[in-house]
Amino acid sequence: MKKNRKNLALLLLAASLLAGCAGQSNSQSSQSSQAKSEKKAESKASSKSAAKSAASSAVSSTKSSSSQASSKSAASSSQRADVNRMGTLTSQLRVKLPGMLLPAADGLGQGSSNLNIRYTSSSSQNVVYYSVGNSPLALNDSRIASEKPYAVLTEKKNVADASSLINYQEPKTGLPAVKIASNVTGTEEGAAGSTYLQFNQGQWSFVVRASNVQGQKPLPTAQKLLALYQQYGLPDTAAKSSVQVDVGESLGSLNTVITWAKGSSVYQLKAHSTETAFKMLKSLN
């Protein structure tokens, strides 16, 4: 009887163990299935996120390309407008001042869209004033007179003695020599609180004046002047002509003065920037 009870107990224990194993197996299987399901869901979510990110990137790239294209188009349009403004005003000037040599380029680095021009004319001379205002105005608008010109072009007509207006300087001797470039040497002299550095090229004399009081040196300006001449050249002239530059550039100062003869006329361009003057004269016709 005791033996039978013992066997029964063993059987019950074994059954209990088998049921536990089966439950654990089912639980593991359920957990495995759930893990697979979660992984699959994560994979789908990741794919959707990647697709969404790619789409967003494509849209952003498209917008960026469109923005860049728009900016380039706007810049191109602005440049064309600037060129057209100088061209339009110059065409109007040619009608008002027939026969006068005029620049086709304004010589500006910026501000061309607000370029303004006014002029005066008489039997003896024509004067053209170039300025940059707050807004573009019609040729010879009365408001332009209040703007500081960055360049002034003058034509004196029917001149009997051009040399008296041009102020050409013959090469100097007996003065200290200054090397301006490897193949160009000038001379230097002091007078009335200033230092004058002169060099000559062809029919042109170049004089740079520096203020001793302000501690200015003429050589750097002379070297820049020579480089601009070599890059842009100057108007054709049969007469001896001149370039005079005061060291220092500021709006309205007109520190660069270039004077030459053409036929019976004497032309003079004054400009606040030496480079601007050379750019304008390069386009003269």
Side-chain angles (χ1 to χ4, degrees):
M1 185 69 174
K2 289 182 180 180
K3 186 175 183 180
N4 289 338
R5 287 180 179 174
K6 186 176 182 181
N7 289 338
L8 181 58
L10 290 172
L11 287 172
L12 290 173
L13 179 60
S16 176
L17 289 173
L18 287 173
C21 289
Q24 185 177 5
S25 177
N26 290 336
S27 175
Q28 289 177 347
S29 177
S30 176
Q31 290 176 356
S32 176
S33 177
Q34 183 177 359
K36 288 180 180 180
S37 177
E38 290 176 353
K39 187 174 182 180
K40 188 174 181 180
E42 289 177 358
S43 178
K44 286 182 179 180
S46 178
S47 297
K48 287 182 180 179
S49 176
K52 186 176 181 180
S53 176
S56 175
S57 177
V59 170
S60 176
S61 177
T62 301
K63 287 182 178 179
S64 177
S65 298
S66 177
S67 176
Q68 290 175 358
S70 178
S71 297
K72 288 181 179 179
S73 177
S76 177
S77 297
S78 176
Q79 290 173 353
R80 287 195 299 271
D82 294 347
V83 172
N84 289 340
R85 178 154 183 77
M86 180 62 176
T88 298
L89 292 173
T90 302
S91 295
Q92 294 172 7
L93 268 179
R94 293 193 191 284
V95 175
K96 303 293 184 180
L97 307 174
M100 182 179 180
L101 293 174
L102 295 169
D106 60 29
L108 296 171
Q110 58 183 3
S112 296
S113 59
N114 286 334
L115 170 70
N116 290 320
I117 298 177
R118 68 182 181 92
Y119 71 93
T120 61
S121 181
S122 69
S123 59
S124 61
Q125 71 174 19
N126 297 321
V127 185
V128 182
Y129 302 85
Y130 297 83
S131 60
V132 175
N134 295 321
S135 62
L137 301 173
L139 178 68
N140 248 23
D141 188 295
S142 59
R143 290 170 289 180
I144 301 175
S146 64
E147 298 175 356
K148 286 186 177 181
Y150 70 84
V152 178
L153 178 63
T154 301
E155 177 195 18
K156 292 188 178 296
K157 298 179 279 188
N158 303 314
V159 176
D161 181 14
S163 61
S164 63
L165 298 174
I166 292 176
N167 196 29
Y168 172 84
Q169 300 292 310
E170 294 288 349
K172 300 289 195 304
T173 58
L175 294 173
V178 177
K179 188 173 184 179
I180 300 171
S182 59
N183 59 343
V184 179
T185 301
T187 56
E188 189 175 84
E189 65 178 327
S194 298
T195 298
Y196 294 85
L197 176 55
Q198 176 185 333
F199 63 95
N200 292 62
Q201 295 284 288
Q203 293 283 84
W204 293 85
S205 68
F206 299 81
V207 178
V208 175
R209 185 188 74 85
S211 169
N212 296 335
V213 176
Q214 298 180 37
Q216 297 172 341
K217 302 295 181 183
L219 181 57
T221 299
Q223 291 173 327
K224 177 184 177 182
L225 180 57
L226 176 61
L228 289 170
Y229 170 68
Q230 293 174 338
Q231 179 179 356
Y232 294 103
L234 283 168
D236 293 332
T237 175
K240 293 180 178 180
S241 303
S242 69
V243 179
Q244 297 174 309
V245 178
D246 285 353
V247 175
E249 297 180 352
S250 59
L251 183 61
S253 63
L254 304 179
N255 282 345
T256 294
V257 182
I258 302 174
T259 314
W260 74 100
K262 183 69 174 180
S264 62
S265 294
V266 171
Y267 284 86
Q268 184 178 83
L269 178 66
K270 295 181 178 181
H272 82 283
S273 162
T274 305
E275 184 170 3
T276 293
F278 273 85
K279 286 180 178 179
M280 293 180 75
L281 293 181
K282 178 69 175 179
S283 67
L284 199 70
N285 63 71

